[in-house]
Amino acid sequence: MIVAALASLLVCGPALAAETAQQSKMKTCNADAAGKTGDERKAFMKECLSAKPAKAATPQERMKACNAQATGKTGDERKAFMKECLSNKAGS
């Protein structure tokens, strides 16, 4: 279900380019949950999605989060996304 929702966001393209904070958080948590299945994944996603955002992320943490969110983007779209994402000083 989550994969289908993410796929539909990618298909819609520029019309949905401005994602909400919750959508961004979902993408990051989903990327971080790679390799987890069943109850382990469910518990991880619940914890991840309910977590409060960090006060400030290090540049390395921001890069990791932005890279995870940029999956599927290429070329100028990816460059623009990464520039915007990395300029967010509070992190993702």
Side-chain angles (χ1 to χ4, degrees):
M1 183 160 69
I2 293 171
V3 174
L6 292 174
S8 69
L9 287 174
L10 293 174
V11 171
C12 293
L16 294 176
E19 65 183 31
T20 67
Q22 183 64 25
Q23 288 169 325
S24 176
K25 194 173 194 179
M26 176 65 92
K27 281 184 179 181
T28 301
C29 291
N30 196 41
D32 292 345
K36 294 176 176 39
T37 59
D39 289 340
E40 179 188 15
R41 182 181 178 85
K42 223 185 269 189
F44 175 84
M45 290 298 286
K46 181 178 179 180
E47 179 68 27
C48 184
L49 292 172
S50 66
K52 301 287 185 224
K55 298 289 184 220
T58 67
Q60 292 84 1
E61 292 168 335
R62 285 199 316 268
M63 179 62 84
K64 181 180 176 185
C66 291
N67 271 327
Q69 294 172 39
T71 302
K73 293 176 174 49
T74 59
D76 290 339
E77 178 187 16
R78 183 180 175 87
K79 282 183 192 176
F81 175 83
M82 290 298 287
K83 182 178 179 180
E84 176 66 27
C85 184
L86 292 171
S87 70
N88 180 0
K89 299 297 184 204
S92 308

